[in-house]
Amino acid sequence: MTVIYPSPIFGPVHSRRLGVSLGINLLPSDGKVCSFDCIYCECGFNADHRPSKALPTREEVREALETRLKDMQVNGLFPDVLTFAGNGEPTAHPHFPEIIEDTLALRDKYFPNAKVSVLSNSTFIHRPAVFEALNKIDNNILKLDTVDDEYIHLVDRPAGKYTVSDIVEHLKAFKGNCIIQTMFMKGTYQGKDVDNTSDKYVLPWLEAVKAIAPRQVMIYTIDRETPDHDLEKATHEELDRIVSLLTEAGIRATASY
């Protein structure tokens, strides 16, 4: 089922990877904006959810977030993390850097022990202001599903120019201040095999991850219904094997099944 949230702020919800998370959605309430059109996106293909409303403003996000944080404080609820995610790409918002500044200030005021996380597909990290904002947060979680350009264009379906080599170079520029997030899955799409759990994909990806030297890698697989129904979950054993390869390379890694 596709869930489109009516407010810039949603939750708290339990995240497989982040604990109790208060979500922050910087995209229109009636659709999504994303530079990827992933075949596995739990919110559906972009063409299915073209927004008719404007993006929430910086002021609307700040007001909604402060209202929710005050309410949680009064009710004794303590979020582990404030997470920028929602139904699209948060760094696509034109005022993303300023919103990060507001969020950090509100976090420090109401829940100083909470972390601020951003889940991004890495397509805007070449912008200096976005790069600087991501360097300020606690969990800078950046997508890298593979280092095979053909696979990326088949599965993640980026809009505009996208080359893995450029993305990897920008990821390296964080100098370890990032978390790499990778989706592993199996099945077919339009008759083509999309299994990225084999050594053909895993070993080159592992070399790129070593070069990026992130502080952590989060790998996961499909968890909910997807817009394309010929996709399959990676097995526990397959994900565990990839975690073991990362661990052997000295990289902290976790798997969500």
Side-chain angles (χ1 to χ4, degrees):
M1 180 194 318
T2 296
V3 178
I4 304 298
Y5 297 99
S7 166
I9 312 300
F10 56 93
V13 297
H14 189 273
S15 164
R16 286 186 294 166
R17 296 179 289 281
L18 299 171
V20 178
S21 178
L22 183 66
I24 304 171
N25 181 14
L26 300 185
L27 303 163
S29 61
D30 67 337
K32 70 176 184 176
V33 175
C34 193
S35 49
F36 274 7
D37 197 16
C38 302
I39 63 174
Y40 57 76
C41 181
E42 293 160 349
C43 294
F45 292 137
N46 288 340
D48 298 331
H49 302 290
R50 298 192 186 280
S52 61
K53 297 180 181 179
L55 298 175
T57 66
R58 173 185 180 179
E59 291 72 22
E60 288 171 339
V61 174
R62 183 176 61 240
E63 181 179 349
L65 178 58
E66 183 158 27
T67 297
R68 183 59 65 91
L69 292 176
K70 284 181 178 178
D71 181 67
M72 293 180 72
Q73 190 178 66
V74 167
N75 288 285
L77 300 174
F78 299 91
D80 297 315
V81 62
L82 310 181
T83 305
F84 286 80
N87 56 325
E89 174 53 42
T91 63
H93 195 290
H95 296 294
F96 172 78
E98 294 86 356
I99 290 170
I100 288 294
E101 293 287 350
D102 295 341
T103 301
L104 291 170
L106 290 171
R107 183 276 307 272
D108 293 346
K109 179 178 180 180
Y110 291 100
F111 295 104
N113 292 326
K115 306 295 185 183
V116 174
S117 299
V118 176
L119 281 71
S120 168
N121 64 22
S122 309
T123 53
F124 293 100
I125 58 176
H126 63 284
R127 297 180 176 177
V130 170
F131 182 88
E132 183 179 350
L134 291 174
N135 252 325
K136 294 177 180 178
I137 62 172
D138 302 287
N139 297 317
N140 173 24
I141 304 173
L142 297 162
K143 175 181 285 295
L144 183 68
D145 283 341
T146 179
V147 292
D148 186 292
D149 276 305
E150 183 177 352
Y151 186 94
I152 288 284
H153 283 85
L154 174 66
V155 172
D156 292 332
R157 306 198 302 179
K161 181 183 177 182
Y162 181 101
T163 60
V164 170
S165 60
D166 288 345
I167 294 294
V168 169
E169 287 304 308
H170 288 301
L171 291 171
K172 287 163 63 175
F174 283 105
K175 300 185 184 302
N177 186 28
C178 63
I179 298 170
I180 296 299
Q181 179 172 259
T182 301
M183 163 75 84
F184 288 97
M185 64 179 183
K186 304 166 73 173
T188 61
Y189 175 65
Q190 296 181 343
K192 295 183 179 180
D193 183 14
V194 295
D195 181 353
N196 65 334
T197 66
S198 68
D199 284 348
K200 172 184 176 181
Y201 293 104
V202 172
L203 296 183
W205 168 85
L206 178 60
E207 290 306 308
V209 171
K210 290 179 184 178
I212 296 164
R215 75 166 192 263
Q216 183 181 354
V217 173
M218 296 177 173
I219 67 171
Y220 65 117
T221 191
I222 298 165
D223 186 47
R224 294 185 282 257
E225 183 181 349
T226 63
D228 189 281
H229 302 292
D230 294 322
L231 308 178
E232 302 171 11
K233 293 171 71 77
T235 67
H236 287 210
E237 293 77 14
E238 288 163 333
L239 294 182
D240 288 343
R241 180 184 83 90
I242 297 167
V243 166
S244 69
L245 291 173
L246 290 161
T247 302
E248 290 170 8
I251 300 170
R252 180 186 170 204
T254 59
S256 297
Y257 311 106

